[in-house]
Amino acid sequence: MRAGSVAFADGVALTELKRDPQTLVEYLFRDNAFPYGCFLMTGTGIVPDSSFTLASGDRIRITIEPIGTLENEVQ
């Protein structure tokens, strides 16, 4: 949000990954052991065009259904 309005919005689906999640997990565990578990971070497929820049006071909101929403303010 910027000044009460959405400045940028987009979404991406797991089907848009270059490799399916099962393949990524297989590579992750190929040479590593995680006795306490781990997180597999895939990065983002959402990239605004080069003219968009975050500004101080912008609020960034990321929602993953059904986990919830993470929101932070740019300082």
Side-chain angles (χ1 to χ4, degrees), residues 12 17 40-46:
V12 66
L17 288 171
L40 173 62
M41 307 295 194
T42 60
T44 182
I46 302 171

Side-chain angles (χ1 to χ4, degrees), residues 7 13 18-19 21-22 25 28 30 33-36 38 42 48-49 63 66-67 69 73-74:
K18 299 258 186 231
R19 293 180 177 88
Q22 183 59 43
V25 169
L28 179 64
R30 183 175 285 176
F34 302 98
Y36 303 107
C38 67
T42 60
D49 64 37
T63 301
I67 297 172
T69 300
E73 183 173 330
V74 177

Side-chain angles (χ1 to χ4, degrees), residues 13-68:
L14 281 176
T15 57
E16 296 181 60
L17 288 171
K18 299 258 186 231
R19 293 180 177 88
D20 65 273
Q22 183 59 43
T23 301
L24 295 174
V25 169
E26 289 169 5
Y27 276 98
L28 179 64
F29 282 90
R30 183 175 285 176
D31 292 314
N32 300 288
F34 302 98
Y36 303 107
C38 67
F39 291 94
L40 173 62
M41 307 295 194
T42 60
T44 182
I46 302 171
V47 180
D49 64 37
S50 60
S51 65
F52 182 81
T53 302
L54 292 171
S56 182
D58 285 354
R59 295 200 66 79
I60 311 307
R61 190 175 302 145
I62 300 169
T63 301
I64 301 173
E65 298 294 342
I67 297 172

